[in-house]
Amino acid sequence: MKILVLGSGAREHAIITALLREPGQHDIVAAPGNAGIALVVPVVGIDANDPEAVLEFAHEGDIDLVVVGPEAPLVAGVADALRSRGIPVFGPGREAATLEGSKTFAKRIMAEAGVPTGRAERAGTLEDAVRILDEFGAPYVVKADGLAAGKGVLVTESRDAAIEHSAHWLGHGDVLIEEFLAGQEVSLFLLSDGHTVRPLSPAQDYKRLKDDDEGPNTGGMGAYSPLPWLDERFGSEEAFVDEVIETVALPTIRQLAAEEKPFIGLLYCGLILTDAGIRVIEFNARFGDPETQVVLPRLETPLSDLLFAAASGTLVDQPRPAFTNDVAVTVVIASENYPGTPVVGRVLSGLVEAEAVEGVSLAHAATAVEEGELVATGGRVLSVVATAAGFAEARRRAYEAVDLIGLEGSQHRSDIAAKVAGS
Ligand code: AMP
Ligand code: GLY
């Protein structure tokens, strides 16, 4: 198959790595990619957010399948443009992608579909915001109602901080104030063709910048998969996944289908397991980053079969995806000052040595070659991924590789998968 992958992050690198690992040979091209992706497949400099440019490239290049990595091309209508010309595309159209882009839309769909989620109220003025904050009480959860790259969410014990955050984001639109939900977080990815869903294996993301979940929220500083503690509570991973399919994924997909906004792509369910049951905190309309880097290395079923079946409405013919018993851990290396404006342009070293560690692979997030040197070009720079038979060994491998990588001022968490590894 000729596959075009849109995007330039570690998630896209992980998708391409999974496609290259399949027994069948594919012709893969990435746009725009990054320096790590360019080591394994050709990259083209087209604008992934420009529907016309992507359509023209896919058409002229006889592309069989377009896989959209990030949300921006979805919001720009890239999937709609491709689908209208009969090109199979894995990624929802603009309207269905609103499930990620607008928290208000997501809450409405969940309410209509009877999907369990936290109580939320919308505020358009600071007066409303303060009233709702006081009604809900601490801890406070304030969310900007739009794409804010993870930065629009504040969870805090401080009423003053909650008010300040509301005031800031009210300058950009409404804010949503939510009931605080306590419990373990799970990211579950489901492939959807608009009617049928197929689940991948659950993962846990580490959203805060620093160890012990201190510091600001980020795009994600690390992840692991599978989640052995699900067995204790649900009996098995499969039982948990089935419950999410029945109570969350299928009702949501059906509601969107009924509204003629078919969801064709990856439904990312961000869940909290509260004492009262599973609750949705957010939906995304794409693979999660860094969770993809730990889910796909464990996937045994050819990824291209699943993506193509979702894109072409034939997921019902696909058996449930199979996973190895290996575990995977990823540690994200970020630039100085991330998640604020990152210091970029610094030289990276030690990647060859890191990748030589047994079970380790690297997914590049923001790298480029400048004057013959590999440099960091963004906030999250690399995902160091390690697989092993158990978490203690996977963690050991991941951190051995992390320690071999040089980047001045870089940041990473040292506690990824520590609890589950028993350390
Ligand atoms: P979101 O961007 O909506 O996923 O929020 C980012 C992070 O904030 C989540 O991963 C949670 O850790 C936290 N969070 C969001 N909503 C809530 C909530 N209602 N209760 C507790 N924590 C939340
Ligand atoms: N890791 C969280 C996300 O991809 O949104």
Side-chain angles (χ1 to χ4, degrees):
M1 241 196 298
K2 272 187 129 174
I3 305 174
L4 169 63
V5 178
L6 299 180
S8 62
R11 161 186 49 211
E12 289 75 26
H13 196 170
I15 290 170
I16 290 166
T17 301
L19 293 169
L20 291 171
R21 184 161 58 73
E22 293 180 13
Q25 296 286 305
H26 302 298
D27 210 347
I28 299 168
V29 52
N34 58 39
I37 292 173
L39 292 175
V40 289
V41 298
V43 296
V44 288
I46 58 167
D47 179 359
N49 297 330
D50 178 347
E52 283 309 310
V54 175
L55 184 58
E56 191 185 322
F57 181 85
H59 190 66
E60 289 182 359
D62 284 324
I63 297 291
D64 299 305
L65 173 66
V66 179
V67 181
V68 185
E71 63 269 44
L74 302 172
V75 172
V78 167
D80 300 285
L82 291 162
R83 214 165 270 130
S84 73
R85 292 283 293 274
I87 299 172
V89 50
F90 184 81
R94 192 201 313 248
E95 286 193 309
T98 309
L99 203 57
E100 170 165 356
S102 162
K103 303 221 181 253
T104 304
F105 177 79
K107 286 284 184 194
R108 181 184 67 74
I109 294 290
M110 284 190 265
E112 308 257 1
V115 170
T117 185
R119 254 184 339 128
E121 272 196 62
R122 199 165 137 158
T125 65
L126 195 56
E127 216 182 332
D128 279 351
V130 173
R131 180 182 51 75
I132 302 165
L133 286 168
D134 288 337
E135 195 182 299
F136 281 20
Y140 303 96
V141 180
V142 183
K143 299 186 178 186
D145 187 24
L147 285 178
K151 287 182 199 149
V153 178
L154 182 72
V155 181
T156 179
E157 290 283 346
S158 156
R159 183 173 177 271
D160 288 348
I163 292 173
E164 197 185 311
H165 191 78
S166 306
H168 174 81
W169 287 102
L170 278 166
H172 300 76
D174 287 354
V175 298
L176 219 63
I177 292 161
E178 269 188 30
E179 166 191 11
F180 175 80
L181 300 169
Q184 286 277 8
E185 285 187 44
V186 178
S187 301
L188 182 65
F189 302 161
L190 297 110
L191 303 129
S192 169
D193 65 2
H195 303 282
T196 301
V197 297
R198 290 289 178 263
L200 299 182
S201 182
Q204 188 164 68
D205 181 19
Y206 289 71
K207 290 239 164 76
R208 301 282 187 140
L209 180 70
K210 294 181 187 288
D211 282 8
D212 300 321
D213 295 332
E214 304 277 343
N217 265 321
T218 70
M221 294 299 291
Y224 68 89
S225 175
L227 310 179
W229 40 265
L230 284 175
D231 296 0
E232 252 165 63
R233 174 148 174 192
F234 293 89
S236 65
E237 172 178 317
E238 199 177 344
F240 164 75
V241 168
D242 284 341
E243 185 173 334
V244 178
I245 291 176
E246 290 310 317
T247 62
V248 176
L250 279 177
T252 301
I253 296 296
R254 287 181 185 137
Q255 182 63 32
L256 288 166
E259 295 186 13
E260 292 180 18
K261 302 173 178 109
F263 192 97
I264 300 165
L266 199 287
L267 181 68
Y268 168 135
C269 300
L271 308 164
I272 291 194
L273 311 186
T274 72
D275 288 342
I278 299 171
R279 297 283 182 275
V280 174
I281 5 170
E282 64 161 349
F283 284 127
N284 291 316
R286 44 148 185 99
F287 279 101
D289 188 342
E291 297 97 312
T292 301
Q293 290 90 296
V294 288
V295 172
L296 294 187
R298 303 184 44 243
L299 178 67
E300 285 181 321
T301 311
L303 177 63
S304 65
D305 290 355
L306 296 168
L307 300 178
F308 188 78
S312 55
T314 58
L315 214 42
V316 73
D317 301 330
Q318 288 287 322
R320 192 159 172 142
F323 286 83
T324 64
N325 288 327
D326 276 358
V327 307
V329 170
T330 188
V331 179
V332 171
I333 297 181
S335 291
E336 183 175 346
N337 205 43
Y338 175 78
T341 308
V343 180
V344 297
R346 286 181 174 157
V347 175
L348 281 154
S349 64
L351 274 69
V352 172
E353 294 80 357
E355 215 152 11
V357 176
E358 192 182 351
V360 167
S361 66
L362 300 179
H364 289 229
T367 60
V369 176
E370 282 173 15
E371 293 169 10
E373 291 196 295
L374 186 70
V375 299
T377 58
R380 292 189 293 172
V381 179
L382 287 171
S383 271
V384 177
V385 184
T387 55
F391 280 108
E393 181 60 13
R395 239 176 81 75
R396 197 196 60 70
R397 291 175 176 181
Y399 282 105
E400 182 182 338
V402 166
D403 288 344
L404 289 166
I405 293 171
L407 172 65
E408 189 191 337
S410 72
Q411 319 177 64
H412 67 263
R413 280 182 65 151
S414 68
D415 63 347
I416 306 299
K419 280 191 194 134
V420 80
S423 55

